[in-house]
Amino acid sequence: MINSLMISKTGMQAQQTQLDVISNNLANVSTNGFKRATAVFEDLMYQNLRQVGANTAEQAELPTGLQVGLGVRTVATSRNFTQGSLQQSGNALDLAVNGGGFFQVQMPDGTTGYTRDGSFQLDAQGRMVTSSGYPLTAGITLPAESQSITVSSDGVVTAKLPGNPVPQQVGNIELANFINSAGLEPLGQNLFAESLASGNPITGAPGSAGLGTVMQGMVETSNVNVVQELVTMIQTQRAYEMNSKAIQTSDQMLQRLSQL
């Protein structure tokens, strides 16, 4: 009887975590390059009250045992890196990866961050930077007199300068991919960091080595499906209510037992 109270408590905690994950997904439904997450659960250890296969008599074995579970716990949040929709923006500095791969940006501590958000801007030095001001690791800087910028599908960046009919190449954008993208560590600000679980980055020009191509004037939207999240939210609410009801039922049974 007491076990049921603790088991239902773990169920309520698990569903609360699930709701937290859903809330974060819905909050970032309009975030460029955001990848939805799901909570992953596992059952806790079991009380083995009767061993399966134990002898009950001579040449007789139990076909089933008696194990009582002790609840559930959250073990991970799995991130879904499926492609988001590509939306045309008309901004020449907006880039989207069509396929696998991440843009590489230089972090303040010298490490490399990885992002699917290609809504770049120019800083005071003419460098291509993220919305948070982190420059691309390729160090692409546009001349101050640039009239226009073109980014090819394989990452070659050219700028048109006054008095010169031939565009000048100013840099190359390289993408990075990982064997286990779900193992990347989220840093916030639409950035991820390499981890032991993700493996080492595989870098190269867009369109090569399984990497996606770069599309100029477009941004990748979030891959959150609002309808799916709302359905999951309703399921989570019902599961939370059922666990709460189990606690109330256990309490009522204990009260009845104490009256005997």
Side-chain angles (χ1 to χ4, degrees):
M1 191 77 66
I2 300 298
N3 282 349
S4 63
L5 294 173
M6 296 303 299
I7 291 170
S8 299
K9 173 180 175 291
T10 65
M12 294 178 69
Q13 288 177 327
Q15 297 308 320
Q16 181 61 60
T17 302
Q18 174 83 307
L19 185 59
D20 293 342
V21 174
I22 294 172
S23 299
N24 188 60
N25 289 340
L26 290 173
N28 286 281
V29 69
S30 299
T31 302
N32 290 336
F34 179 80
K35 303 302 178 185
R36 66 180 297 269
T38 55
V40 180
F41 306 102
E42 71 176 14
D43 52 351
L44 295 177
M45 63 182 298
Y46 286 77
Q47 285 183 327
N48 198 352
L49 303 179
R50 198 175 190 189
Q51 181 64 45
V52 60
N55 292 331
T56 57
E58 187 176 353
Q59 297 182 347
E61 296 178 350
L62 288 174
T64 59
L66 176 58
Q67 294 89 24
V68 178
L70 296 180
V72 63
R73 69 170 180 173
T74 311
V75 292
T77 50
S78 177
R79 198 167 294 272
N80 186 342
F81 278 91
T82 56
Q83 177 91 45
S85 300
L86 300 183
Q87 188 174 40
Q88 191 168 3
S89 67
N91 185 351
L93 292 175
D94 284 342
L95 305 177
V97 179
N98 186 18
F102 299 82
F103 295 109
Q104 304 177 81
V105 298
Q106 188 75 33
M107 303 297 290
D109 59 359
T111 59
T112 301
Y114 304 91
T115 182
R116 292 282 298 191
D117 181 9
S119 54
F120 295 109
Q121 302 175 27
L122 296 180
D123 65 3
Q125 289 79 40
R127 299 179 303 172
M128 289 184 64
V129 298
T130 67
S131 300
S132 300
Y134 304 137
L136 287 165
T137 55
I140 297 174
T141 302
L142 298 180
E145 64 274 14
S146 298
Q147 296 177 334
S148 63
I149 176 177
T150 301
V151 182
S152 65
S153 60
D154 59 354
V156 178
V157 183
T158 56
K160 186 149 186 331
L161 303 178
N164 188 354
V166 180
Q168 177 182 340
Q169 182 173 336
V170 294
N172 292 276
I173 295 176
E174 279 195 344
L175 299 180
N177 209 352
F178 297 85
I179 295 177
N180 177 27
S181 298
L184 290 170
E185 180 183 356
L187 301 176
Q189 299 179 317
N190 295 347
L191 294 170
F192 297 91
E194 174 188 347
S195 72
L196 290 175
S198 67
N200 295 324
I202 303 169
T203 60
S208 66
L211 296 168
T213 57
V214 174
M215 302 186 69
Q216 186 180 15
M218 305 190 80
V219 292
E220 181 185 3
T221 61
S222 166
N223 68 351
V224 175
N225 185 322
V226 175
V227 175
Q228 179 182 356
E229 297 298 327
L230 291 177
V231 171
T232 307
M233 183 187 297
I234 294 172
Q235 294 174 339
T236 302
Q237 180 183 9
R238 295 292 179 264
Y240 190 92
E241 291 173 353
M242 291 303 99
N243 279 283
S244 174
K245 182 63 176 178
I247 290 179
Q248 294 176 10
T249 303
S250 296
D251 182 59
Q252 292 172 1
M253 294 175 68
L254 285 172
Q255 290 179 11
R256 181 62 59 86
L257 181 63
S258 65
Q259 294 171 1
L260 296 179

